[in-house]
Amino acid sequence: MMFSMPNHWREELRLFLGIVLIAGLAGTLTGQLLVCLLLGLLVYLGWHVFQLARLPRLLAQNDQPGPSPVGLWKDFVRQIREQQDSSHSHSLELSYELDRYHNAVNTLPDAVVILDPSGRVDWSNPAAKNLLNIDWPDSRGRLLTDLAADPVLAEYLSNGNFATPLTITSPANRAKILSTYIAPLDHDVSRLMVLARDITPEYYLDVSRRDFVANVSHELRTPLTVIYGLAEQLNMDQTDPAMLQRSTELILQQARRMNELVSDLLTLSRLEMRQESAPDETVAIAELLATLVEEAHALSGPAQHVLHLEIRSPEGLRGNAQELHTAFSNLVSNAIRHTPNLSEVTIKWLVDHAGAHLSVTDTGEGIAARHIPRLTERLYRVDASHSRDTGGTGLGLSIVKRVLENHEAELEIISTVGGGSTFTCHFPPGRVVSL
Ligand code: ADP
């Protein structure tokens, strides 16, 4: 196997031998061989010291004026430059990554705060200002418990048990509810990371769900208690036939009430679960309203309301016939139930440039303005006992609202106490169908 010497070694050897040769020649000529060889070695050493001295400048810039390094120095400089280049590109990559994380944390809607071991702010992102009252960099070095002054948060921090997140009111905006997570930083457990997320919509949804369950339970318990009491009485020796008939009637009445409530609840939940992609059909509104008027006559019964049906436009609607029937029939049924006997109820269908409009106008008791914005809340009633007496479940207008949402439509309520009410469903032009 042939040994091949690397280039830089060859160059180095050539340099060394060149110097020795010149020194030898000079020594032979002058008869001072030893001195010349020693001088030659000094020149060789001086060359290396010179290279060493200019090394920092050589490495600082690539195009260094003066002789370029040769031999071992050439290779040495090359290797160091390669390492410099690779560590430079590595640090560029790192700073790019860092920028990316920094940008991501800065655009987060959640507040992120790093605390030092004494609970002082070390760093925070922009969202921390609106959620936790921590403004970077002004808040740097200040105690979190001073900036976000909340006794519950202070206690949570001092307990040091962060297994479950803490729900607090935002110290920067009392209308916001925050879920706060705290965790020690991985690489330094004495420093904490605080993450606060705005959960206001979820929080109120949860509250309204809990209220709803409580209210429904209450609504169901009332008739159930009546049925229970009457059944107990019947179970005892009950010989008075008039009493027996009265009890049975009451039981039936309460059972019907429960049945209506459960059926409205089911309708509402079905509407809420309806897939947006449920196929729409063409609904002939004039026909649907004619059926509705017949049903309304039956509902009114001996109360003999006077029903007017005004079909001002021939168009129909693109939608779900069953849902629309449920919504309109709730409006008509409300009008009948809240209007005195023999009064007038008008149902009007009209299409114009703004879309289609279905209105139900009654001449009944009317509604005070303060109640109007809340009428479509589930189980909301202006007068609970009156509504129950007239057969209302308190879910009718919630059902109407949900159906209209499913059809991109809106409900408008105009009413004056003692002057009657008009409930209008406004459908967008895109829902109108020519028949
Ligand atoms: P309910 O089943 O009790 O009628 P709704 O959700 O349909 O429940 O209506 C909510 C409340 O709105 C009713 O309890 C009633 O107080 C009021 N309301 C609805 N429609 C009318 C109307 N046409 N006239 C007067 N009040 C009405």
PDB file of all heavy atoms in Angstrom, residues 276-311:
ATOM      1  N   GLU A 276     -76.499  20.773   9.924  1.00  0.00           N
ATOM      2  CA  GLU A 276     -76.665  21.916   9.021  1.00  0.00           C
ATOM      3  C   GLU A 276     -76.918  21.462   7.587  1.00  0.00           C
ATOM      4  O   GLU A 276     -77.519  22.156   6.788  1.00  0.00           O
ATOM      5  CB  GLU A 276     -75.431  22.794   9.073  1.00  0.00           C
ATOM      6  CG  GLU A 276     -75.437  23.638  10.311  1.00  0.00           C
ATOM      7  CD  GLU A 276     -74.614  24.876  10.171  1.00  0.00           C
ATOM      8  OE1 GLU A 276     -74.084  25.101   9.084  1.00  0.00           O
ATOM      9  OE2 GLU A 276     -74.511  25.601  11.168  1.00  0.00           O
ATOM     10  N   SER A 277     -76.399  20.243   7.324  1.00  0.00           N
ATOM     11  CA  SER A 277     -76.512  19.763   5.953  1.00  0.00           C
ATOM     12  C   SER A 277     -77.860  19.093   5.672  1.00  0.00           C
ATOM     13  O   SER A 277     -78.062  18.549   4.597  1.00  0.00           O
ATOM     14  CB  SER A 277     -75.385  18.782   5.672  1.00  0.00           C
ATOM     15  OG  SER A 277     -75.435  17.760   6.648  1.00  0.00           O
ATOM     16  N   ALA A 278     -78.780  19.118   6.676  1.00  0.00           N
ATOM     17  CA  ALA A 278     -80.085  18.489   6.462  1.00  0.00           C
ATOM     18  C   ALA A 278     -80.718  19.090   5.202  1.00  0.00           C
ATOM     19  O   ALA A 278     -80.708  20.305   5.029  1.00  0.00           O
ATOM     20  CB  ALA A 278     -80.988  18.732   7.657  1.00  0.00           C
ATOM     21  N   PRO A 279     -81.236  18.237   4.313  1.00  0.00           N
ATOM     22  CA  PRO A 279     -81.707  18.752   3.020  1.00  0.00           C
ATOM     23  C   PRO A 279     -82.910  19.675   3.202  1.00  0.00           C
ATOM     24  O   PRO A 279     -83.805  19.398   3.996  1.00  0.00           O
ATOM     25  CB  PRO A 279     -82.090  17.489   2.252  1.00  0.00           C
ATOM     26  CG  PRO A 279     -82.296  16.449   3.287  1.00  0.00           C
ATOM     27  CD  PRO A 279     -81.459  16.801   4.462  1.00  0.00           C
ATOM     28  N   ASP A 280     -82.899  20.778   2.447  1.00  0.00           N
ATOM     29  CA  ASP A 280     -84.036  21.704   2.468  1.00  0.00           C
ATOM     30  C   ASP A 280     -85.019  21.294   1.387  1.00  0.00           C
ATOM     31  O   ASP A 280     -84.647  20.662   0.410  1.00  0.00           O
ATOM     32  CB  ASP A 280     -83.539  23.129   2.191  1.00  0.00           C
ATOM     33  CG  ASP A 280     -82.934  23.740   3.450  1.00  0.00           C
ATOM     34  OD1 ASP A 280     -83.422  23.417   4.543  1.00  0.00           O
ATOM     35  OD2 ASP A 280     -81.988  24.529   3.312  1.00  0.00           O
ATOM     36  N   GLU A 281     -86.278  21.675   1.597  1.00  0.00           N
ATOM     37  CA  GLU A 281     -87.296  21.366   0.591  1.00  0.00           C
ATOM     38  C   GLU A 281     -88.021  22.674   0.242  1.00  0.00           C
ATOM     39  O   GLU A 281     -87.833  23.689   0.930  1.00  0.00           O
ATOM     40  CB  GLU A 281     -88.278  20.332   1.156  1.00  0.00           C
ATOM     41  CG  GLU A 281     -88.787  20.744   2.521  1.00  0.00           C
ATOM     42  CD  GLU A 281     -89.453  19.613   3.293  1.00  0.00           C
ATOM     43  OE1 GLU A 281     -90.217  18.883   2.676  1.00  0.00           O
ATOM     44  OE2 GLU A 281     -89.235  19.513   4.498  1.00  0.00           O
ATOM     45  N   THR A 282     -88.845  22.630  -0.770  1.00  0.00           N
ATOM     46  CA  THR A 282     -89.630  23.824  -1.092  1.00  0.00           C
ATOM     47  C   THR A 282     -90.925  23.753  -0.290  1.00  0.00           C
ATOM     48  O   THR A 282     -91.662  22.763  -0.375  1.00  0.00           O
ATOM     49  CB  THR A 282     -89.923  23.870  -2.604  1.00  0.00           C
ATOM     50  OG1 THR A 282     -88.668  23.979  -3.262  1.00  0.00           O
ATOM     51  CG2 THR A 282     -90.785  25.056  -2.964  1.00  0.00           C
ATOM     52  N   VAL A 283     -91.162  24.784   0.504  1.00  0.00           N
ATOM     53  CA  VAL A 283     -92.340  24.758   1.372  1.00  0.00           C
ATOM     54  C   VAL A 283     -93.363  25.763   0.838  1.00  0.00           C
ATOM     55  O   VAL A 283     -93.066  26.956   0.704  1.00  0.00           O
ATOM     56  CB  VAL A 283     -91.946  25.113   2.829  1.00  0.00           C
ATOM     57  CG1 VAL A 283     -93.143  24.941   3.757  1.00  0.00           C
ATOM     58  CG2 VAL A 283     -90.761  24.268   3.296  1.00  0.00           C
ATOM     59  N   ALA A 284     -94.555  25.243   0.537  1.00  0.00           N
ATOM     60  CA  ALA A 284     -95.635  26.122   0.056  1.00  0.00           C
ATOM     61  C   ALA A 284     -96.262  26.770   1.293  1.00  0.00           C
ATOM     62  O   ALA A 284     -97.065  26.157   1.997  1.00  0.00           O
ATOM     63  CB  ALA A 284     -96.658  25.305  -0.717  1.00  0.00           C
ATOM     64  N   ILE A 285     -95.867  28.001   1.549  1.00  0.00           N
ATOM     65  CA  ILE A 285     -96.263  28.658   2.795  1.00  0.00           C
ATOM     66  C   ILE A 285     -97.776  28.889   2.859  1.00  0.00           C
ATOM     67  O   ILE A 285     -98.400  28.731   3.915  1.00  0.00           O
ATOM     68  CB  ILE A 285     -95.488  29.988   2.970  1.00  0.00           C
ATOM     69  CG1 ILE A 285     -93.990  29.685   3.096  1.00  0.00           C
ATOM     70  CG2 ILE A 285     -95.981  30.774   4.178  1.00  0.00           C
ATOM     71  CD1 ILE A 285     -93.584  28.916   4.329  1.00  0.00           C
ATOM     72  N   ALA A 286     -98.382  29.249   1.713  1.00  0.00           N
ATOM     73  CA  ALA A 286     -99.829  29.519   1.725  1.00  0.00           C
ATOM     74  C   ALA A 286    -100.591  28.291   2.221  1.00  0.00           C
ATOM     75  O   ALA A 286    -101.498  28.390   3.052  1.00  0.00           O
ATOM     76  CB  ALA A 286    -100.294  29.917   0.325  1.00  0.00           C
ATOM     77  N   GLU A 287    -100.178  27.107   1.738  1.00  0.00           N
ATOM     78  CA  GLU A 287    -100.852  25.862   2.166  1.00  0.00           C
ATOM     79  C   GLU A 287    -100.605  25.598   3.634  1.00  0.00           C
ATOM     80  O   GLU A 287    -101.488  25.228   4.398  1.00  0.00           O
ATOM     81  CB  GLU A 287    -100.314  24.673   1.361  1.00  0.00           C
ATOM     82  CG  GLU A 287    -100.928  24.559  -0.003  1.00  0.00           C
ATOM     83  CD  GLU A 287    -100.241  23.483  -0.850  1.00  0.00           C
ATOM     84  OE1 GLU A 287     -99.770  22.489  -0.256  1.00  0.00           O
ATOM     85  OE2 GLU A 287    -100.169  23.681  -2.082  1.00  0.00           O
ATOM     86  N   LEU A 288     -99.340  25.789   4.030  1.00  0.00           N
ATOM     87  CA  LEU A 288     -98.983  25.528   5.424  1.00  0.00           C
ATOM     88  C   LEU A 288     -99.799  26.418   6.361  1.00  0.00           C
ATOM     89  O   LEU A 288    -100.311  25.969   7.401  1.00  0.00           O
ATOM     90  CB  LEU A 288     -97.481  25.800   5.596  1.00  0.00           C
ATOM     91  CG  LEU A 288     -96.814  25.415   6.908  1.00  0.00           C
ATOM     92  CD1 LEU A 288     -95.353  25.085   6.705  1.00  0.00           C
ATOM     93  CD2 LEU A 288     -96.894  26.521   7.935  1.00  0.00           C
ATOM     94  N   LEU A 289     -99.965  27.695   5.950  1.00  0.00           N
ATOM     95  CA  LEU A 289    -100.702  28.621   6.815  1.00  0.00           C
ATOM     96  C   LEU A 289    -102.190  28.290   6.854  1.00  0.00           C
ATOM     97  O   LEU A 289    -102.843  28.463   7.888  1.00  0.00           O
ATOM     98  CB  LEU A 289    -100.476  30.066   6.359  1.00  0.00           C
ATOM     99  CG  LEU A 289     -99.030  30.568   6.535  1.00  0.00           C
ATOM    100  CD1 LEU A 289     -98.896  32.008   6.064  1.00  0.00           C
ATOM    101  CD2 LEU A 289     -98.572  30.475   7.986  1.00  0.00           C
ATOM    102  N   ALA A 290    -102.708  27.784   5.742  1.00  0.00           N
ATOM    103  CA  ALA A 290    -104.128  27.403   5.723  1.00  0.00           C
ATOM    104  C   ALA A 290    -104.371  26.280   6.735  1.00  0.00           C
ATOM    105  O   ALA A 290    -105.352  26.297   7.494  1.00  0.00           O
ATOM    106  CB  ALA A 290    -104.529  26.965   4.318  1.00  0.00           C
ATOM    107  N   THR A 291    -103.479  25.307   6.770  1.00  0.00           N
ATOM    108  CA  THR A 291    -103.596  24.210   7.743  1.00  0.00           C
ATOM    109  C   THR A 291    -103.512  24.775   9.160  1.00  0.00           C
ATOM    110  O   THR A 291    -104.248  24.371  10.065  1.00  0.00           O
ATOM    111  CB  THR A 291    -102.416  23.201   7.565  1.00  0.00           C
ATOM    112  OG1 THR A 291    -102.207  22.996   6.193  1.00  0.00           O
ATOM    113  CG2 THR A 291    -102.647  21.918   8.298  1.00  0.00           C
ATOM    114  N   LEU A 292    -102.583  25.723   9.308  1.00  0.00           N
ATOM    115  CA  LEU A 292    -102.351  26.316  10.625  1.00  0.00           C
ATOM    116  C   LEU A 292    -103.612  27.028  11.137  1.00  0.00           C
ATOM    117  O   LEU A 292    -103.941  26.951  12.323  1.00  0.00           O
ATOM    118  CB  LEU A 292    -101.211  27.337  10.487  1.00  0.00           C
ATOM    119  CG  LEU A 292    -100.277  27.462  11.655  1.00  0.00           C
ATOM    120  CD1 LEU A 292     -99.475  26.206  11.839  1.00  0.00           C
ATOM    121  CD2 LEU A 292     -99.330  28.641  11.413  1.00  0.00           C
ATOM    122  N   VAL A 293    -104.305  27.697  10.229  1.00  0.00           N
ATOM    123  CA  VAL A 293    -105.522  28.417  10.633  1.00  0.00           C
ATOM    124  C   VAL A 293    -106.580  27.415  11.107  1.00  0.00           C
ATOM    125  O   VAL A 293    -107.249  27.641  12.118  1.00  0.00           O
ATOM    126  CB  VAL A 293    -106.038  29.293   9.463  1.00  0.00           C
ATOM    127  CG1 VAL A 293    -107.434  29.826   9.760  1.00  0.00           C
ATOM    128  CG2 VAL A 293    -105.085  30.441   9.215  1.00  0.00           C
ATOM    129  N   GLU A 294    -106.688  26.285  10.401  1.00  0.00           N
ATOM    130  CA  GLU A 294    -107.653  25.247  10.832  1.00  0.00           C
ATOM    131  C   GLU A 294    -107.303  24.763  12.231  1.00  0.00           C
ATOM    132  O   GLU A 294    -108.169  24.632  13.100  1.00  0.00           O
ATOM    133  CB  GLU A 294    -107.603  24.050   9.875  1.00  0.00           C
ATOM    134  CG  GLU A 294    -108.435  24.254   8.635  1.00  0.00           C
ATOM    135  CD  GLU A 294    -108.239  23.112   7.645  1.00  0.00           C
ATOM    136  OE1 GLU A 294    -108.023  21.972   8.104  1.00  0.00           O
ATOM    137  OE2 GLU A 294    -108.278  23.381   6.427  1.00  0.00           O
ATOM    138  N   GLU A 295    -106.021  24.515  12.451  1.00  0.00           N
ATOM    139  CA  GLU A 295    -105.588  24.050  13.772  1.00  0.00           C
ATOM    140  C   GLU A 295    -105.874  25.110  14.837  1.00  0.00           C
ATOM    141  O   GLU A 295    -106.244  24.801  15.964  1.00  0.00           O
ATOM    142  CB  GLU A 295    -104.080  23.741  13.757  1.00  0.00           C
ATOM    143  CG  GLU A 295    -103.739  22.485  12.969  1.00  0.00           C
ATOM    144  CD  GLU A 295    -102.239  22.359  12.675  1.00  0.00           C
ATOM    145  OE1 GLU A 295    -101.459  23.213  13.155  1.00  0.00           O
ATOM    146  OE2 GLU A 295    -101.873  21.421  11.976  1.00  0.00           O
ATOM    147  N   ALA A 296    -105.663  26.377  14.455  1.00  0.00           N
ATOM    148  CA  ALA A 296    -105.882  27.473  15.406  1.00  0.00           C
ATOM    149  C   ALA A 296    -107.354  27.567  15.802  1.00  0.00           C
ATOM    150  O   ALA A 296    -107.680  27.828  16.962  1.00  0.00           O
ATOM    151  CB  ALA A 296    -105.405  28.779  14.801  1.00  0.00           C
ATOM    152  N   HIS A 297    -108.246  27.315  14.831  1.00  0.00           N
ATOM    153  CA  HIS A 297    -109.685  27.323  15.152  1.00  0.00           C
ATOM    154  C   HIS A 297    -109.972  26.258  16.197  1.00  0.00           C
ATOM    155  O   HIS A 297    -110.696  26.509  17.167  1.00  0.00           O
ATOM    156  CB  HIS A 297    -110.510  27.034  13.889  1.00  0.00           C
ATOM    157  CG  HIS A 297    -110.777  28.270  13.075  1.00  0.00           C
ATOM    158  ND1 HIS A 297    -111.451  29.351  13.599  1.00  0.00           N
ATOM    159  CD2 HIS A 297    -110.464  28.603  11.794  1.00  0.00           C
ATOM    160  CE1 HIS A 297    -111.530  30.296  12.673  1.00  0.00           C
ATOM    161  NE2 HIS A 297    -110.931  29.870  11.559  1.00  0.00           N
ATOM    162  N   ALA A 298    -109.380  25.097  15.994  1.00  0.00           N
ATOM    163  CA  ALA A 298    -109.604  23.988  16.931  1.00  0.00           C
ATOM    164  C   ALA A 298    -109.053  24.354  18.307  1.00  0.00           C
ATOM    165  O   ALA A 298    -109.676  24.082  19.335  1.00  0.00           O
ATOM    166  CB  ALA A 298    -108.934  22.721  16.415  1.00  0.00           C
ATOM    167  N   LEU A 299    -107.873  24.997  18.323  1.00  0.00           N
ATOM    168  CA  LEU A 299    -107.240  25.362  19.596  1.00  0.00           C
ATOM    169  C   LEU A 299    -108.076  26.418  20.323  1.00  0.00           C
ATOM    170  O   LEU A 299    -108.271  26.357  21.538  1.00  0.00           O
ATOM    171  CB  LEU A 299    -105.825  25.911  19.334  1.00  0.00           C
ATOM    172  CG  LEU A 299    -105.021  26.337  20.551  1.00  0.00           C
ATOM    173  CD1 LEU A 299    -104.582  25.131  21.358  1.00  0.00           C
ATOM    174  CD2 LEU A 299    -103.792  27.141  20.128  1.00  0.00           C
ATOM    175  N   SER A 300    -108.584  27.355  19.573  1.00  0.00           N
ATOM    176  CA  SER A 300    -109.376  28.430  20.173  1.00  0.00           C
ATOM    177  C   SER A 300    -110.686  27.871  20.754  1.00  0.00           C
ATOM    178  O   SER A 300    -111.107  28.247  21.845  1.00  0.00           O
ATOM    179  CB  SER A 300    -109.669  29.491  19.107  1.00  0.00           C
ATOM    180  OG  SER A 300    -110.587  30.415  19.586  1.00  0.00           O
ATOM    181  N   GLY A 301    -111.281  26.931  20.051  1.00  0.00           N
ATOM    182  CA  GLY A 301    -112.503  26.262  20.524  1.00  0.00           C
ATOM    183  C   GLY A 301    -113.581  27.249  20.905  1.00  0.00           C
ATOM    184  O   GLY A 301    -113.897  28.173  20.135  1.00  0.00           O
ATOM    185  N   PRO A 302    -114.093  27.099  22.121  1.00  0.00           N
ATOM    186  CA  PRO A 302    -115.206  27.982  22.516  1.00  0.00           C
ATOM    187  C   PRO A 302    -114.790  29.449  22.641  1.00  0.00           C
ATOM    188  O   PRO A 302    -115.648  30.338  22.672  1.00  0.00           O
ATOM    189  CB  PRO A 302    -115.624  27.432  23.884  1.00  0.00           C
ATOM    190  CG  PRO A 302    -114.556  26.499  24.327  1.00  0.00           C
ATOM    191  CD  PRO A 302    -113.752  26.111  23.144  1.00  0.00           C
ATOM    192  N   ALA A 303    -113.487  29.733  22.706  1.00  0.00           N
ATOM    193  CA  ALA A 303    -113.032  31.132  22.836  1.00  0.00           C
ATOM    194  C   ALA A 303    -113.310  31.921  21.562  1.00  0.00           C
ATOM    195  O   ALA A 303    -113.340  33.153  21.576  1.00  0.00           O
ATOM    196  CB  ALA A 303    -111.543  31.174  23.169  1.00  0.00           C
ATOM    197  N   GLN A 304    -113.500  31.176  20.490  1.00  0.00           N
ATOM    198  CA  GLN A 304    -113.935  31.760  19.201  1.00  0.00           C
ATOM    199  C   GLN A 304    -113.138  32.990  18.754  1.00  0.00           C
ATOM    200  O   GLN A 304    -113.703  34.061  18.512  1.00  0.00           O
ATOM    201  CB  GLN A 304    -115.424  32.108  19.280  1.00  0.00           C
ATOM    202  CG  GLN A 304    -116.278  30.886  19.408  1.00  0.00           C
ATOM    203  CD  GLN A 304    -117.752  31.202  19.231  1.00  0.00           C
ATOM    204  OE1 GLN A 304    -118.162  32.348  19.104  1.00  0.00           O
ATOM    205  NE2 GLN A 304    -118.548  30.166  19.217  1.00  0.00           N
ATOM    206  N   HIS A 305    -111.837  32.830  18.678  1.00  0.00           N
ATOM    207  CA  HIS A 305    -111.026  33.927  18.163  1.00  0.00           C
ATOM    208  C   HIS A 305    -111.339  34.125  16.682  1.00  0.00           C
ATOM    209  O   HIS A 305    -111.669  33.165  15.983  1.00  0.00           O
ATOM    210  CB  HIS A 305    -109.532  33.619  18.347  1.00  0.00           C
ATOM    211  CG  HIS A 305    -109.107  33.683  19.768  1.00  0.00           C
ATOM    212  ND1 HIS A 305    -109.126  32.595  20.612  1.00  0.00           N
ATOM    213  CD2 HIS A 305    -108.660  34.724  20.506  1.00  0.00           C
ATOM    214  CE1 HIS A 305    -108.705  32.961  21.794  1.00  0.00           C
ATOM    215  NE2 HIS A 305    -108.417  34.251  21.773  1.00  0.00           N
ATOM    216  N   VAL A 306    -111.197  35.370  16.235  1.00  0.00           N
ATOM    217  CA  VAL A 306    -111.448  35.641  14.818  1.00  0.00           C
ATOM    218  C   VAL A 306    -110.105  35.629  14.106  1.00  0.00           C
ATOM    219  O   VAL A 306    -109.235  36.452  14.400  1.00  0.00           O
ATOM    220  CB  VAL A 306    -112.141  37.013  14.638  1.00  0.00           C
ATOM    221  CG1 VAL A 306    -112.450  37.266  13.169  1.00  0.00           C
ATOM    222  CG2 VAL A 306    -113.382  37.083  15.505  1.00  0.00           C
ATOM    223  N   LEU A 307    -109.925  34.673  13.193  1.00  0.00           N
ATOM    224  CA  LEU A 307    -108.614  34.511  12.545  1.00  0.00           C
ATOM    225  C   LEU A 307    -108.640  35.054  11.127  1.00  0.00           C
ATOM    226  O   LEU A 307    -109.537  34.733  10.346  1.00  0.00           O
ATOM    227  CB  LEU A 307    -108.232  33.033  12.535  1.00  0.00           C
ATOM    228  CG  LEU A 307    -107.927  32.490  13.940  1.00  0.00           C
ATOM    229  CD1 LEU A 307    -108.319  31.053  14.064  1.00  0.00           C
ATOM    230  CD2 LEU A 307    -106.459  32.680  14.245  1.00  0.00           C
ATOM    231  N   HIS A 308    -107.640  35.911  10.801  1.00  0.00           N
ATOM    232  CA  HIS A 308    -107.527  36.440   9.437  1.00  0.00           C
ATOM    233  C   HIS A 308    -106.244  35.909   8.831  1.00  0.00           C
ATOM    234  O   HIS A 308    -105.187  35.986   9.474  1.00  0.00           O
ATOM    235  CB  HIS A 308    -107.431  37.970   9.446  1.00  0.00           C
ATOM    236  CG  HIS A 308    -108.595  38.620  10.105  1.00  0.00           C
ATOM    237  ND1 HIS A 308    -109.843  38.687   9.517  1.00  0.00           N
ATOM    238  CD2 HIS A 308    -108.713  39.233  11.302  1.00  0.00           C
ATOM    239  CE1 HIS A 308    -110.663  39.323  10.337  1.00  0.00           C
ATOM    240  NE2 HIS A 308    -110.001  39.661  11.427  1.00  0.00           N
ATOM    241  N   LEU A 309    -106.371  35.431   7.608  1.00  0.00           N
ATOM    242  CA  LEU A 309    -105.165  34.967   6.918  1.00  0.00           C
ATOM    243  C   LEU A 309    -104.944  35.848   5.692  1.00  0.00           C
ATOM    244  O   LEU A 309    -105.801  35.920   4.811  1.00  0.00           O
ATOM    245  CB  LEU A 309    -105.320  33.501   6.509  1.00  0.00           C
ATOM    246  CG  LEU A 309    -104.174  32.902   5.698  1.00  0.00           C
ATOM    247  CD1 LEU A 309    -102.863  32.962   6.473  1.00  0.00           C
ATOM    248  CD2 LEU A 309    -104.479  31.451   5.328  1.00  0.00           C
ATOM    249  N   GLU A 310    -103.815  36.561   5.667  1.00  0.00           N
ATOM    250  CA  GLU A 310    -103.532  37.452   4.523  1.00  0.00           C
ATOM    251  C   GLU A 310    -102.313  36.919   3.773  1.00  0.00           C
ATOM    252  O   GLU A 310    -101.191  37.029   4.258  1.00  0.00           O
ATOM    253  CB  GLU A 310    -103.218  38.876   5.017  1.00  0.00           C
ATOM    254  CG  GLU A 310    -104.389  39.554   5.658  1.00  0.00           C
ATOM    255  CD  GLU A 310    -104.042  40.967   6.097  1.00  0.00           C
ATOM    256  OE1 GLU A 310    -103.020  41.529   5.618  1.00  0.00           O
ATOM    257  OE2 GLU A 310    -104.778  41.491   6.955  1.00  0.00           O
ATOM    258  N   ILE A 311    -102.564  36.327   2.609  1.00  0.00           N
ATOM    259  CA  ILE A 311    -101.450  35.855   1.789  1.00  0.00           C
ATOM    260  C   ILE A 311    -101.199  36.938   0.739  1.00  0.00           C
ATOM    261  O   ILE A 311    -101.952  37.048  -0.233  1.00  0.00           O
ATOM    262  CB  ILE A 311    -101.783  34.502   1.110  1.00  0.00           C
ATOM    263  CG1 ILE A 311    -102.173  33.444   2.154  1.00  0.00           C
ATOM    264  CG2 ILE A 311    -100.615  34.013   0.244  1.00  0.00           C
ATOM    265  CD1 ILE A 311    -101.065  32.931   3.026  1.00  0.00           C
TER     266      ILE A 311
END
